[in-house]
Amino acid sequence: QVRLVESGGGLVQAGESLKLSCQASGTIFEINSMAWYRQAPGKERELVANIIGEGGPIYTHSAKGRFTISRDNAKNAVYLQMNSLKPSDTAVYYCYADIRPTASVYSFTPYWGQGTQVTVSS
């Protein structure tokens, strides 16, 4: 009953910017971690950035200084502002969230979005 839907991907040139959005919907009581992952062709899925609870953002080396993750808890949404994009950023970007559906469920369940393609041309 929970869905994550990404939007905002596309084709840009190197040096340009994109902003990805992810909206969680369905039966949601609490969201713990919200994150962005990416998977390039022939490579494993890798973490880009995440925010756990009310904590600050955490970035991997490839994203630090160029990407900004933010979340809107009132909207159950997470965003990824990507600046100074490089061809090496080309990948399918996935939204991830740990969600408690109701107050009577004490554990968090991981959910993934369907992915959005980001292509950066040189």
Side-chain angles (χ1 to χ4, degrees), residues 52-71:
I52 301 174
E54 299 295 329
I58 299 172
Y59 299 98
T60 58
H61 176 73
S62 61
K64 208 166 188 177
R66 298 187 299 126
F67 295 0
T68 302
I69 187 172
S70 60
R71 63 189 281 182

Side-chain angles (χ1 to χ4, degrees), residues 33-108:
S33 173
M34 298 193 83
W36 288 96
Y37 285 74
R38 69 184 183 186
Q39 187 167 19
K43 295 188 177 181
E44 293 187 355
R45 191 172 298 188
E46 63 174 3
L47 176 68
V48 176
N50 69 344
I51 300 179
I52 301 174
E54 299 295 329
I58 299 172
Y59 299 98
T60 58
H61 176 73
S62 61
K64 208 166 188 177
R66 298 187 299 126
F67 295 0
T68 302
I69 187 172
S70 60
R71 63 189 281 182
D72 185 332
N73 293 326
K75 296 182 179 180
N76 292 330
V78 64
Y79 309 96
L80 186 68
Q81 176 67 47
M82 304 185 294
N83 299 327
S84 302
L85 283 161
K86 306 174 182 179
S88 56
D89 295 316
T90 296
V92 177
Y93 283 71
Y94 296 91
C95 176
Y96 170 92
D98 280 330
I99 296 174
R100 284 176 65 192
T102 67
S104 62
V105 177
Y106 293 99
S107 61
F108 290 88

